[in-house]
Amino acid sequence: SQQGEEDPQALSIQEGENATMNCSYKTSINNLQWYRQNSGRGLVHLILIRSNEREKHSGRLRVTLDTSKKSSSLLITASRAADTASYFCATDDVTGTASKLTFGTGTRLQVTL
Amino acid sequence: DTEVTQTPKHLVMGMTNKKSLKCEQHMGHRAMYWYKQKAKKPPELMFVYSYEKLSINESVPSRFSPECPNSSLLNLHLHALQPEDSALYLCASSPQAGTSYEQYFGPGTRLTVT
């Protein structure tokens, strides 16, 4: 299956520090998306990066994509307590159904004061 | 209005009950999704509707029956569920089906099957 593996599974940092989480996937993709989920709630879309893009920024978020290594990273700079959440990458699969996103295993981020 | 609403927020049902989950969006989106999420796991796709037609069914057991009565509404009818079906059920929508669109998620319905 295409499910991405995220690393680390859990990350605990102090407010103001940067947080980096990584996503690896198995097959070629068209698009990769990152989502945030606060505990037991719905997901919120963060960034979409296409396979021909290498880097995207949105506010304090920076996403990179390396299609040769089949991996992506999400960097959150100057973290805040409100960033505490689970973060998921989601990928499609050019060899499969183009309309379907498969979510990775997720990274649980804890930001402490 | 960029909100997807889901009702109820919580649902407890017995294995012989019939219940329905409801999802609504007024963003004019033409694709709607049902996901199932177990604790500390990622969401798993169940169904995709595109222009009110079922386009993807991820081999979901027939005790889950989706319905899209119009472009704003998505229902999930539940019948004869098992305790292992207890999970957070998430609805989402996007402008069109396809992975080049971001998905907007509702807050979910937490289902407990007793």
Side-chain angles (χ1 to χ4, degrees), chain A residues 29-80:
Chain A
I29 62 170
N30 290 312
N31 302 289
L32 184 146
Q33 302 189 29
W34 284 91
Y35 287 82
R36 183 188 77 228
Q37 183 177 33
N38 291 87
S39 181
R41 303 288 294 169
L43 283 76
V44 174
H45 180 265
L46 298 176
I47 286 184
L48 182 154
I49 187 164
R50 304 185 197 285
S51 59
N52 62 353
E53 297 175 312
R54 291 296 166 258
E55 188 171 312
K56 285 191 87 168
H57 296 256
S58 177
R60 293 183 296 112
L61 306 180
R62 173 178 169 250
V63 166
T64 60
L65 179 64
D66 187 334
T67 53
S68 67
K69 294 181 179 178
K70 293 186 171 59
S71 68
S72 175
S73 67
L74 170 66
L75 168 67
I76 305 174
T77 59
S79 63
R80 305 167 181 168

Side-chain angles (χ1 to χ4, degrees), chain A residues 3 30-33 35 37 40-45 48 50 88 91-92 97-106 108, chain B residues 9 33 35 37 40-45 48 55-56 58 88 90 97-108 110:
Chain A
Q3 184 181 64
N30 290 312
N31 302 289
L32 184 146
Q33 302 189 29
Y35 287 82
Q37 183 177 33
R41 303 288 294 169
L43 283 76
V44 174
H45 180 265
L48 182 154
R50 304 185 197 285
F88 295 95
T91 54
D92 59 14
T97 306
S99 298
K100 172 185 166 181
L101 280 178
T102 301
F103 285 81
T105 51
R108 292 189 303 280
Chain B
K9 291 184 179 178
Y33 311 79
Y35 288 87
Q37 186 178 27
K40 298 188 178 181
K41 297 291 187 183
E44 293 180 349
L45 182 66
V48 180
S55 62
I56 296 177
E58 289 288 284
L88 181 68
L90 294 163
T99 59
S100 58
Y101 300 95
E102 69 175 270
Q103 293 185 18
Y104 293 73
F105 282 80
R110 188 160 298 284

Side-chain angles (χ1 to χ4, degrees), chain A residues 10-15 17 19 79-81 83-87 107-113:
Chain A
L11 179 61
S12 183
I13 60 173
Q14 290 193 318
E15 205 172 44
E17 294 180 335
S79 63
R80 305 167 181 168
D83 295 327
T84 294
S86 291
Y87 292 81
T107 293
R108 292 189 303 280
L109 174 66
Q110 176 78 42
V111 181
T112 56
L113 297 172

